[in-house]
Amino acid sequence: EEGGEGGGGGEGDKAEQDKVEGAGLSDTTVNAAKNLDQCIDVVKTNLKDSTDYFHVLVQVFKEVLLGGGDHKQLDNFFMIVPSLCLSWVEASLQAKDMMFKKNRNIRDAYYSDDGFAMGVAYILSILNQHEHFDALHFFESLSAKYSADEAVLRRQKEAIEAKLKKKEAASKKRSFFSRSKKKDDDDDSDEDGDEASALQLTARRLGAHRRESEMLFFSLKGASIFFSERKNLA
C-alpha cells in the first residue's frame, strides 16, 4: 500500500485520493477526475435557485406588471394567443416556401423561428396565465379541426376516384364508333382530374399546417419549462 503522512487538514481528500489510486489509475486519470469534480461543483453552485436567471427575469417584470399600476389591458392576454399562433403558423409556412424561390428577400425566408414560442411562454409566466391559456384547449381544438378537414378530403377523394373508375369501366363497354360521346366523357374526365389535383394540393397544405401547429405546441411547452413555476406541464 502506498501511504505517507499528508499535510494537516487534508485527511479526507487524501483518503479519497487513495481510493482512486487504489483502483490502479494513472496520475493523469486521477487529476482529470479531480478536475471533473471541481467543474461539477462549480456548475452545481451556479445553477442554484438563487441564480436561476430565467426565474429572475420573470420575477423582475412580474413585480412591475402585477405589483401595482394600471395594466388591466393585460388581464386577458391569453385570449389573443390562439390568434397569434394561427398568424405565426401562416407566416412560418410562407417563410419556408420563400426559401425555394430564387428572387427572395432574406428577411422573409427562414426555416425555423422559436422566438415566438419563447416570447409567449415568457409573457404567460409573467402574467400567471398559463392555466388560463390551457383552459382554452386551443391546440386540442385545432387538432380536432384538422382531423375533421382531413376526413372530408378523404371522402371527396374517394368519391372522385370512384367516379373515375365508373367512367373508365363504362368507356370500355362503349362502341368504338361513338366518338362524340367519347369527347364529352374526356372533357368530364379532365374536370375530374383537375378536381383531384386540387384536392391533393389542399391535403398537402393541410398536412403542412398540422405539422407546423404541432411543432409550435411542442416549442411552447418546452419554452414554458424555462419560465413557469408549475409542477405539472403536461
Side-chain angles (χ1 to χ4, degrees):
E1 296 182 0
E2 295 185 4
E5 296 182 0
E11 295 181 357
D13 294 339
K14 185 65 171 62
E16 187 66 26
Q17 185 174 2
D18 289 342
K19 291 181 181 179
V20 176
E21 292 177 349
L25 301 176
S26 63
D27 293 339
T28 302
T29 304
V30 172
N31 290 331
K34 291 174 63 178
N35 292 333
L36 177 60
D37 290 338
Q38 293 175 357
C39 291
I40 293 176
D41 290 338
V42 171
V43 171
K44 290 169 64 176
T45 301
N46 292 337
L47 293 183
K48 290 181 179 179
D49 293 338
S50 59
T51 55
D52 185 352
Y53 299 107
F54 289 114
H55 179 70
V56 171
L57 284 173
V58 171
Q59 290 302 122
V60 168
F61 285 93
K62 183 178 291 187
E63 292 175 359
V64 174
L65 296 177
L66 302 183
D70 187 12
H71 303 291
K72 293 294 184 181
Q73 71 276 11
L74 298 176
D75 290 348
N76 295 319
F77 170 79
F78 67 96
M79 294 291 292
I80 69 172
V81 174
S83 298
L84 295 176
C85 290
L86 293 176
S87 178
W88 181 89
V89 168
E90 291 288 346
S92 180
L93 290 174
Q94 184 177 0
K96 290 181 179 180
D97 291 339
M98 190 70 69
M99 292 184 63
F100 297 98
K101 297 182 179 180
K102 293 182 179 179
N103 300 325
R104 63 176 182 267
N105 189 341
I106 301 299
R107 292 184 177 181
D108 296 334
Y110 51 85
Y111 181 76
S112 177
D113 178 19
D114 57 355
F116 172 76
M118 185 71 74
V120 170
Y122 180 50
I123 296 175
L124 290 176
S125 296
I126 292 175
L127 301 176
N128 292 329
Q129 294 182 3
H130 274 291
E131 288 78 7
H132 297 294
F133 175 69
D134 291 343
L136 298 177
H137 299 287
F138 165 67
F139 286 105
E140 293 87 340
S141 300
L142 188 60
S143 179
K145 181 186 182 303
Y146 287 147
S147 298
D149 291 343
E150 289 170 352
V152 172
L153 288 176
R154 282 195 300 269
R155 289 194 295 268
Q156 293 177 345
K157 182 179 179 181
E158 292 171 356
I160 292 176
E161 290 177 350
K163 187 177 179 181
L164 290 174
K165 289 181 180 179
K166 185 177 180 180
K167 288 183 176 180
E168 183 179 357
S171 64
K172 292 180 180 179
K173 297 179 180 179
R174 189 177 301 113
S175 171
F176 175 78
F177 299 100
S178 57
R179 294 187 177 275
S180 60
K181 181 64 176 176
K182 182 177 183 300
K183 184 177 182 302
D184 294 337
D185 291 343
D186 289 342
D187 293 339
D188 292 340
S189 298
D190 291 339
E191 292 179 0
D192 293 336
D194 292 341
E195 188 176 356
S197 299
L199 286 177
Q200 186 176 4
L201 182 62
T202 302
R204 189 182 301 115
R205 185 71 177 175
L206 183 61
H209 276 76
R210 176 188 279 276
R211 289 191 298 271
E212 203 69 27
S213 63
E214 289 177 349
M215 290 178 61
L216 176 59
F217 168 75
F218 292 121
S219 297
L220 188 58
K221 284 298 181 182
S224 66
I225 296 175
F226 291 109
F227 306 111
S228 182
E229 298 179 357
R230 295 180 301 162
K231 300 298 183 181
N232 298 320
L233 292 173

